[in-house]
Amino acid sequence: MRATTDDGQLLDAEYAVETEAGSRYLALVLESSSGTRGATGRLPRNVDYRPALKLLLSRLKDRNAVLVDGLVDSRVTASLPEDDRRLFASPIVLADEHDLEALRRRLCTVQSSIGQAPGATKGGNATKRIRLRLAIPGYTPADASRLATELAQPTPAAAPPSTLFTPPETPVNQWWVGDPAERFWMEITNRPDVGSNLRALQRNGTGGEYWSYSLVTAVRPGDIVLHWHKNLHGRPGIVGYSTAVDGPYDDRLLWDARGTYGRRRPANTQPQPAWRYELTGYTPLTEPIGQQTFHPLEARLRQIRHQLEERIDGPLYFPFVFSDTRPLRAAQAYLVKMPAAIVNLVPALAEAAGLTPHATRSDTASVRPRQRSRRLTGAGYVADPVLRKAIEDHAVRRARALYPDHAITDVGATHSYDLHAVKGDEEIHIEVKGSTGTADTVELTANEVTHARTARTDLVVVDQITWERTPDGTITTSGGRCRHWTDWEPDQQDLQPTRYRYTLPRVPG
């Protein structure tokens, strides 16, 4: 099989993915190269060996692969023990390799001396047939053919963070429009990242729209979202609230349906079209407000629903379900409309009713801190300042660890870079970017670009950071993929404008 580059070039280099008998690993086998294009005599073979090896390593890295073992696997070396034809001494985690060209050169350099005749004075072939044994999350020995095919195909271009919005085909019954008191919603979830945003699929498992998902598109800036969590405190209930700040936007989401009915449907294996609405100002409640609070109020809650039904045509998207045989319970849905009458019925929720709404799209500029903010990239805008700060701090900690012998100063609040590293006469400026998603691009300010071109600057990007919000509202972060570029200078061809400053023309007359 041959691989095609992302710009459509078919490389002249044969490879295969094999399953080894008795092994739990897959093996990538890259055939040897000989001759050159245009050479006379023996026809050239697999002349794109080097760029193909780098490309395959890159696509394996995208799948979080680990090179468990690597061997020269040529006919000449077949009789040698594996220890004598090994390419590296310990497994290589590709996610930790920021320079794949350097890794490719190391693998080729080691090959040149393997299988050489005793006393040979010249270096041997550095493009021999090799076998790389792989451990890849989500792949088993039965997936050899699938992996070989995927590695051959161009990587789809990463879409920029979406600011588009596709409205639902079936309109939401927005019975609350025109009543400023009706600004409450309730998310019903078990997400560990509660309070970061609202995210829901545009289509359910049967291919149709679902009212509870479509409600995300009806939220407006300044609305209050109550978060009903199923197990954050060990029992279900409202655990906190946030303020809607920006949206709705189109997004992509991998979300398998839950419940008895959902489990009967085929599981989603690829991200699906979704809607996203950003939240900010998550505030935890001291105690969750759950069934122990709402059960004694069931008669009042039924009355509220009845009064709404008398004056409203169409669905209410009510937050609770009533039954003559079962206790009151939260609706089996993702997002529901919380009537203001229910909020005012519960003193702890009534406090939320008196909140001054957080900044909306029209006035966010007036409340942003004047100091420079490290931008989070690859996962959309993070509105919650507490979450944003936690991710920034996590990325900076990971970046600091890359310079154990330097004296480090955090200058992100006052300078056009984040960390200042000094070791003897060496001085390095370090730009740090953090993301909870996979960051294929990062956002740079004009000052950051200018500074990187005028001073010795390194770039550190930490993405795929995981986080959870504890019951008291504290955010804990962990993990992440750390990539490191030294002597970094952004090339103009890699920069894309995302916004412009426009000088208004003079008013005529």
Side-chain angles (χ1 to χ4, degrees):
M1 187 168 287
R2 297 181 182 183
T4 300
T5 64
D6 291 347
D7 60 4
Q9 178 188 356
L10 180 64
L11 296 180
D12 182 4
E14 293 283 344
Y15 75 91
V17 178
E18 300 178 356
T19 301
E20 298 180 329
S23 173
R24 66 179 186 276
Y25 302 120
L26 291 169
L28 171 68
V29 178
L30 180 61
E31 297 295 335
S32 64
S33 172
S34 61
T36 58
R37 288 191 179 93
T40 59
R42 188 173 63 176
L43 291 175
R45 178 176 181 272
N46 295 332
V47 294
D48 290 325
Y49 181 102
R50 290 177 175 86
L53 177 55
K54 181 180 177 183
L55 179 66
L56 292 170
L57 290 173
S58 174
R59 290 177 180 171
L60 289 169
K61 179 177 178 177
D62 290 341
R63 291 161 175 78
N64 294 314
V66 176
L67 305 186
V68 177
D69 199 4
L71 307 170
V72 170
D73 201 40
S74 65
R75 177 179 53 82
V76 173
T77 62
S79 60
L80 297 176
E82 288 193 355
D83 285 346
D84 292 342
R85 47 195 182 101
R86 185 156 278 124
L87 296 172
F88 43 87
S90 58
I92 297 175
V93 180
L94 289 179
D96 294 338
E97 296 290 327
H98 67 276
D99 190 342
L100 291 180
E101 174 59 20
L103 173 60
R104 195 277 306 162
R105 289 196 298 267
R106 293 202 309 269
L107 294 177
C108 288
T109 299
V110 173
Q111 294 180 44
S112 61
S113 61
I114 295 177
Q116 286 286 84
T121 57
K122 291 179 61 178
N125 182 14
T127 55
K128 296 182 174 75
R129 186 179 194 263
I130 60 173
R131 177 177 297 268
L132 301 177
R133 291 173 177 147
L134 311 169
I136 312 178
Y139 294 79
T140 70
D143 295 315
S145 177
R146 174 167 74 98
L147 179 61
T149 301
E150 290 178 354
L151 295 179
Q153 298 171 350
T155 302
S162 174
T163 57
L164 302 175
F165 167 55
T166 303
E169 295 176 3
T170 303
V172 171
N173 183 35
Q174 300 190 45
W175 56 263
W176 51 87
V177 171
D179 186 345
E182 295 292 354
R183 59 191 184 100
F184 298 95
W185 305 84
M186 188 168 78
E187 180 192 33
I188 302 170
T189 185
N190 58 2
R191 295 170 56 175
D193 55 345
V194 60
S196 60
N197 54 35
L198 297 173
R199 296 177 76 192
L201 297 177
Q202 294 185 15
R203 300 281 176 175
N204 62 21
T206 62
E209 291 183 344
Y210 177 40
W211 63 264
S212 182
Y213 300 165
S214 297
L215 280 181
V216 172
T217 69
V219 177
R220 294 293 178 264
D223 286 357
I224 302 298
V225 179
L226 307 170
H227 301 284
W228 179 287
H229 202 281
K230 298 176 182 179
N231 51 34
L232 188 63
H233 287 268
R235 63 185 188 276
I238 298 172
V239 299
Y241 54 86
S242 304
T243 302
V245 67
D246 199 15
Y249 295 131
D250 286 349
D251 202 350
R252 305 280 294 179
L253 178 62
L254 182 61
W255 187 2
D256 286 334
R258 302 295 195 272
T260 303
Y261 175 67
R263 285 192 292 268
R264 295 184 189 139
R265 300 201 300 265
N268 289 324
T269 59
Q270 298 295 327
Q272 304 296 314
W275 290 300
R276 184 184 82 249
Y277 208 108
E278 299 298 343
L279 305 177
T280 189
Y282 175 81
T283 304
L285 299 178
T286 304
E287 291 290 334
I289 301 173
Q291 275 96 336
Q292 77 283 0
T293 299
F294 290 109
H295 284 170
L297 301 174
E298 180 168 346
R300 298 284 301 278
L301 295 172
R302 285 176 180 263
Q303 183 181 20
I304 290 172
R305 188 184 67 173
H306 177 69
Q307 290 172 343
L308 289 172
E309 289 173 336
E310 284 189 326
R311 65 181 180 87
I312 293 170
D313 293 328
L316 300 177
Y317 317 117
F318 205 71
F320 299 108
V321 175
F322 305 109
S323 170
D324 294 333
T325 58
R326 297 180 57 182
L328 170 148
R329 63 190 187 279
Q332 190 172 354
Y334 169 65
L335 188 67
V336 292
K337 188 71 180 74
M338 175 66 79
I342 296 180
V343 175
N344 292 326
L345 189 62
V346 180
L349 292 182
E351 294 181 10
L355 288 176
T356 299
H358 290 259
T360 65
R361 274 185 287 191
S362 62
D363 60 14
T364 47
S366 64
V367 299
R368 287 177 180 165
R370 299 182 64 183
Q371 67 195 44
R372 171 180 175 269
S373 175
R374 303 181 181 100
R375 298 298 304 274
L376 304 180
T377 57
Y381 172 65
V382 177
D384 188 334
V386 177
L387 171 59
R388 185 166 62 246
K389 182 67 163 55
I391 297 170
E392 291 173 357
D393 291 348
H394 182 92
V396 167
R397 287 194 298 271
R398 292 291 302 275
R400 280 177 173 269
L402 298 175
Y403 302 84
D405 299 326
H406 290 70
I408 305 289
T409 304
D410 190 330
V411 297
T414 56
H415 291 64
S416 295
Y417 60 99
D418 297 297
L419 297 176
H420 188 90
V422 177
K423 178 184 176 183
D425 295 333
E426 181 183 45
E427 179 178 326
I428 305 174
H429 299 175
I430 306 167
E431 182 65 41
V432 183
K433 300 294 181 181
S435 172
T436 59
T438 298
D440 298 312
T441 62
V442 296
E443 292 188 14
L444 302 172
T445 66
N447 287 341
E448 289 169 347
V449 172
T450 300
H451 184 84
R453 290 172 172 171
T454 57
R456 159 67 197 277
T457 304
D458 291 359
L459 173 65
V460 178
V461 176
V462 185
D463 63 354
Q464 301 176 9
I465 299 170
T466 58
W467 65 277
E468 292 190 11
R469 201 188 296 273
T470 58
D472 65 358
T474 303
I475 292 174
T476 59
T477 57
S478 62
R481 175 180 61 164
C482 186
R483 289 173 288 173
H484 186 199
W485 290 264
T486 58
D487 289 320
W488 165 69
E489 182 177 336
D491 195 307
Q492 187 63 39
Q493 67 180 10
D494 296 326
L495 296 171
Q496 297 181 1
T498 59
R499 62 180 63 186
Y500 296 90
R501 182 184 299 277
Y502 176 63
T503 301
L504 295 174
R506 186 183 301 275
V507 177

